[in-house]
Amino acid sequence: MKIMTSSDAQSGYTGTAKLLHWAILGLLAVQFVIAWAMPDIKRDTQPDTLINLHLSFGVLILGLAVVRLGWRLSHREPEPHDGLPPWQVQSARIMHWLLYLLLFVVPILGWMNASWRGFPVNMFGLFELPKLLATRAPGFRWTGDVHGLLANYAMLALVGLHAAAALYHHFVRRDGVLQRMLPG
Ligand code: HEM
Ligand code: HEM
């Protein structure tokens, strides 16, 4: 039997957790560029290539978020970095769960809105996914606005704060917090 030492517990996230963390960051960057470049969606807008790419990348991010949450719940969380004040440990924990929440709520609302608009959600032209709502289902018009607002404001603001905290630890505090999420 392997006895866990405190240095094991400190050793940070698993390779899979790191890969998923940075892959989702990369896909989100692509997703925001597409979102801002795609045409304004009006009542009679037909989905063009950019809109279809937005739907496909969005569902891909949702799929990776599911895998990532599954991994997170089935693996031991590394112990907080040594010497951090409790308020920082607590706020990082709350931030991480809020980010997880948005990684689900934002794409699901997008998918609901695509269904509401009657857009087929076709994954990179390979296969079509089911609709989450009937086209123009009464009472679901808001899904598009809330999707865009949560992505453009809540998600960008929280990711910004989260990244700023990581960079503060690395460049100002010069502790090992960022290293816990870096390869190696
Ligand atoms: C985490 C993943 C996602 C992010 C970050 C994201 C981001 C965004 C953003 C920022 C906008 C607003 C664009 C603007 O500023 O005008 C938008 C609009 C939209 N997105 Fe997403 N999106 C994601 C996933 C999805 C998914 C999975 C779908 C559908 C399968 C989707 C469908 C839509 C639709 C239909 C709109 C237009 C909404 C409207 O204007 O009424 N999105 N998205
Ligand atoms: C430049 C951007 C980013 C940097 C520098 C960064 C950095 C980090 C670092 C250093 C950790 C480890 C913190 C600790 O050990 O307590 C971490 C964890 C985490 N990050 Fe980020 N991150 C970035 C972007 C993102 C994005 C875009 C998301 C999701 C929307 C995200 C979600 C998370 C979550 C949920 C955790 C907790 C660990 C886990 O469950 O995987 N991060 N990040």
Side-chain angles (χ1 to χ4, degrees):
M1 191 183 82
K2 185 173 182 290
I3 299 184
M4 207 176 72
T5 63
S6 74
S7 76
D8 285 338
Q10 288 296 332
S11 59
Y13 292 91
T14 60
T16 308
K18 293 176 186 177
L19 185 68
L20 288 166
H21 178 270
W22 297 113
I24 288 180
L25 170 66
L27 287 170
L28 279 177
V30 173
Q31 181 69 339
F32 273 99
V33 171
I34 298 174
W36 294 331
M38 70 191 186
D40 245 8
I41 302 183
K42 308 251 165 49
R43 196 183 162 85
D44 52 0
T45 303
Q46 291 304 311
D48 64 359
T49 309
L50 276 181
I51 294 175
N52 282 326
L53 278 175
H54 183 78
L55 309 191
S56 299
F57 273 106
V59 174
L60 181 61
I61 293 169
L62 176 62
L64 287 182
V66 171
V67 175
R68 184 168 170 195
L69 184 64
W71 187 267
R72 176 72 164 66
L73 295 176
S74 58
H75 289 74
R76 189 179 41 78
E77 186 190 4
E79 292 295 316
H81 189 69
D82 266 345
L84 292 183
W87 72 267
Q88 283 188 14
V89 174
Q90 259 327 88
S91 32
R93 195 162 277 149
I94 294 169
M95 172 66 90
H96 295 163
W97 286 114
L98 285 175
L99 289 171
Y100 271 115
L101 186 69
L102 287 175
L103 280 179
F104 282 83
V105 171
V106 167
I108 289 171
L109 282 176
W111 191 347
M112 288 170 76
N113 187 251
S115 307
W116 182 83
R117 291 180 180 283
F119 291 174
V121 180
N122 193 321
M123 286 299 281
F124 302 103
L126 297 173
F127 55 91
E128 197 166 317
L129 292 172
K131 285 179 163 298
L132 298 186
L133 290 175
T135 305
R136 306 279 154 194
F140 287 96
R141 172 197 277 273
W142 56 272
T143 47
D145 289 341
V146 177
H147 169 71
L149 289 172
L150 281 180
N152 269 329
Y153 295 97
M155 198 175 226
L156 282 187
L158 291 188
V159 169
L161 275 174
H162 169 73
L167 297 179
Y168 167 79
H169 279 286
H170 191 66
F171 291 109
V172 181
R173 307 293 313 174
R174 296 177 189 272
D175 57 21
V177 168
L178 180 62
Q179 265 91 346
R180 283 151 63 90
M181 204 33 111
L182 294 180

